Amino acid sequence: MSGTNPYVKEIIKDSLMSIGEEMFVALARTSMSPIIYEVLDYACGLTDAKGNLISQGNGVTSFIGMLSPMVKSVLDKFGEDLEAGDIIIINDPYIGGGSHLSDVGLVMPIFHENKLVAFSANKGHWTDVGGKNPGSLTSDSNEIYQEGLQLSGVKLFDAGVLNKSVETIITDNIRLPQFSIGDMWAQVAALRTGEKRFKELCDLNSKETIEQVITELISSSEEYSQQVIDSLPKGVFEAEDYIEGDPEKGGPYKIKVKVTITEDAFICDFRGSHPQVSHPVNCSYFGLLASVRVMYLAIVQPQFNITEGLFRPLKIITDEKSILSAERPAPVSMNFEARLGGAELIWKALAPEIPEKLPAGHSLSVCSVTVAGTHPDSGEDFLIVEPSVGGWGAANEADGQSGQFCMGNGETYNVPIEVAEAKYGVLVGNYGFRKDSSGAGEYIGGRGVVRSYEILSDNQYLSATYGRHQFKPWGMKGGEKGASSYIEVHKANGNIVGPLGVTTRLPLDKGDVVELVTPSGGGYGNPSDREYGKVEKDIKNGFYTEEEAMDQFGYKQR
């Protein structure tokens, strides 16, 4: 757009990105829980005064699509009843930006010269938000009221003054409040960092200039997105798959998508997917929206700061009360199984058409693990709440990546062994790549991992949901399927429980060993076309035995 100095525009654009990153660092450095400061299960960002995303710090990929709908829901609820110093707390899955109750968002309006100019927002996974299970992750809830404390958007701060009654309600309803409340204050610190820096930017460049540049950035993002759509194959592309639940409760549940790419739109139609169910693998429409946006970004591949304009050509259609667009009071604790499953359907439908952008099927599941108990040394209660890494699918010119988080987790990390053993009542006995014959192809799928916890005290409990237990990651262009996930518990008395895909509050005692095995990615291309030297290296790495290599690749030792 004319009228804006291009140098000023570039400085403001980079400053907005810097603000998002500084907010991100501020939250990590002041948080109390490993799920935040080690795993980085959170995100921070800025929106304009209308709730349009203009900047974001890295973290959980799915949160990219949650911040702006969350801010817009705050605008819808409060309208003109917002003032400087307000902070709204929100975790309701059924309104803008919702996923499950454990993902708690904070929103702060930013005023300059008494005018609303932007919002500072963040969303983080709290260690516990109450409910029937420690860690607030449950695979057997049948309504959302069992999953924790619900906050549909209330003022935690009113004109800069803490609402102590709200804080007390939260504290009284959650386990280990020193962690979750500590993380809440870290989120407040990050919001105030964003507010301070944005106001400084307005002081330096004038509010009008900032607003003009933001408008230009959103517009140019939309133009870029449209250019990418112009380059994509046009037509209708379909795929289907299944969401796995606890087989004792029901499922698997069929989901499907029809992707229609026109000259000016990218339409994802999920109608015909299974209706919502009474256990917590549902996701709300807003959870699906967030993950579909992640998938869309993987296709358009922007090389600049993400803004709301990128998503304007994207359209999402669902049935009412679908497993992919559930409505209250459906349970959603394990919502990531549905929303990531729905997003990967787009991947599956389009990968054969654009293999340079999309590889074969990956581990998909968050593979969430919660272990609760008492630390044998300190006598204090502890909670392990963490996702698990797995294998990604092979691409048309590369083997799949091993030991990576699924598409929904993005730039997050596992808890280091040293931290886990210091803070939790477990001993990590094994953590390495799995060795099996899965994912064969001209390019092989990435390896899942094997992680084991030796339990160090009695009366611990395990809850875990490992997707891709029944349905393996898909191969591509003749590549073989990847390996499925499973959980086994080797009891101290020699008995073995499992293999399982889902378990809830499974009792553990001292000497038991929990073995957690995540999926490996699918292969790409005919295995017989794999280069001999690569197969030799695979054997040396322990990914295949000589017998498996002979069977899969036609390998013969020279």
Side-chain angles (χ1 to χ4, degrees), residues 77-78 81-83 86-89 153-159 161-163 166:
K77 182 170 185 176
F78 290 93
D81 189 25
L82 290 170
E83 53 187 319
D86 285 353
I87 294 180
I88 292 83
I89 186 167
V154 296
K155 286 191 177 183
L156 179 64
F157 283 80
D158 195 341
V161 178
L162 174 66
N163 187 331
V166 171

Side-chain angles (χ1 to χ4, degrees), residues 37-166:
Y37 64 74
E38 292 288 358
V39 176
L40 307 185
D41 195 348
Y42 69 98
C44 301
L46 297 171
T47 77
D48 66 9
K50 296 180 180 179
N52 296 308
L53 185 68
I54 55 176
S55 177
Q56 181 159 335
N58 290 329
V60 174
T61 315
S62 293
F63 288 170
I64 290 172
M66 293 182 183
L67 294 187
S68 54
M70 183 172 67
V71 173
K72 289 177 181 179
S73 73
V74 169
L75 277 168
D76 289 341
K77 182 170 185 176
F78 290 93
E80 300 295 322
D81 189 25
L82 290 170
E83 53 187 319
D86 285 353
I87 294 180
I88 292 83
I89 186 167
I90 181 171
N91 73 342
D92 189 330
Y94 296 109
I95 57 180
S99 48
H100 59 174
L101 297 177
S102 297
D103 294 333
V104 181
L106 265 62
V107 175
M108 183 180 196
I110 301 174
F111 289 83
H112 186 263
E113 297 175 352
N114 297 318
K115 180 183 178 184
L116 178 64
V117 291
F119 286 90
S120 179
N122 55 45
K123 195 173 184 72
H125 185 113
W126 283 16
T127 300
D128 190 273
V129 290
K132 64 193 292 290
N133 281 0
S136 307
L137 293 176
T138 174
S139 61
D140 66 348
S141 55
N142 53 44
E143 59 179 5
I144 194 171
Y145 304 105
Q146 298 171 328
E147 297 180 347
L149 183 65
Q150 299 180 60
L151 300 162
S152 60
V154 296
K155 286 191 177 183
L156 179 64
F157 283 80
D158 195 341
V161 178
L162 174 66
N163 187 331
K164 293 185 178 180
S165 295
V166 171

Side-chain angles (χ1 to χ4, degrees), residues 413-433:
Y413 300 89
N414 52 206
V415 175
I417 291 173
E418 296 82 0
V419 173
E421 293 183 337
K423 288 185 171 289
Y424 309 137
V426 299
L427 181 68
V428 181
N430 180 26
Y431 196 16
F433 295 134

